[in-house]
Amino acid sequence: MRQAIGDAGAGPQLAELLDAVVSERAPDEDRLLVLLDEIEEACSRDGLAGITTSSKQYTPLPAGFAESGRDEPVTWTCPLRRCSRTVFDDEVTEPPSCAAAGLPMAATRVL
């Protein structure tokens, strides 16, 4: 996706977005929305399908997800707790990684 977004002319916006997401400081949500809109517009002009949802709302984890006991299955979640990406243990053969931060995803057990 990075290559396609860069080819569409939104490489600087993507770089700024990723830098903000992986920063130790909480990102400015208003700025993230502007960057997402700019990336979306550039991709649309280049004929790429939409990459964001219409609500563009931040949700750290899907509803009902919390840490639980060792007998529950592992669910992999954002290591930065900044997005709602979730990968179930039976979907992968090894722990997945965060494409934005380049870090292993966090093992979370579902209640």
Side-chain angles (χ1 to χ4, degrees), residues 9 13-14 16 20 22 24 29 33 45 67 74 79 92 95 99 111:
Q13 291 88 341
L14 179 61
E16 183 181 343
V22 301
E24 290 182 15
E29 289 185 33
L33 291 175
R45 284 191 305 269
E67 295 189 29
V74 170
V92 294
L111 285 176

Side-chain angles (χ1 to χ4, degrees), residues 33-111:
L33 291 175
V34 167
L35 292 168
L36 285 170
D37 284 342
E38 290 175 358
I39 293 168
E40 186 83 23
E41 288 172 18
C43 290
S44 178
R45 284 191 305 269
D46 206 46
L48 299 173
I51 58 169
T52 62
T53 63
S54 59
S55 67
K56 293 188 178 85
Q57 293 180 339
Y58 168 73
T59 306
L61 285 175
F65 277 64
E67 295 189 29
S68 63
R70 293 191 174 275
D71 59 335
E72 299 297 330
V74 170
T75 303
W76 303 98
T77 59
C78 177
L80 304 172
R81 299 214 176 268
R82 299 237 169 107
C83 79
S84 61
R85 179 177 176 212
T86 304
V87 178
F88 292 94
D89 193 45
D90 63 357
E91 296 177 300
V92 294
T93 57
E94 60 185 46
S97 64
C98 169
L103 298 170
M105 291 184 72
T108 304
R109 297 190 185 274
V110 181
L111 285 176

Side-chain angles (χ1 to χ4, degrees), residues 15-33:
E16 183 181 343
L17 177 82
L18 292 174
D19 286 347
V21 169
V22 301
S23 170
E24 290 182 15
R25 294 186 0 232
D28 176 344
E29 289 185 33
D30 291 334
R31 181 64 184 149
L32 293 181
L33 291 175

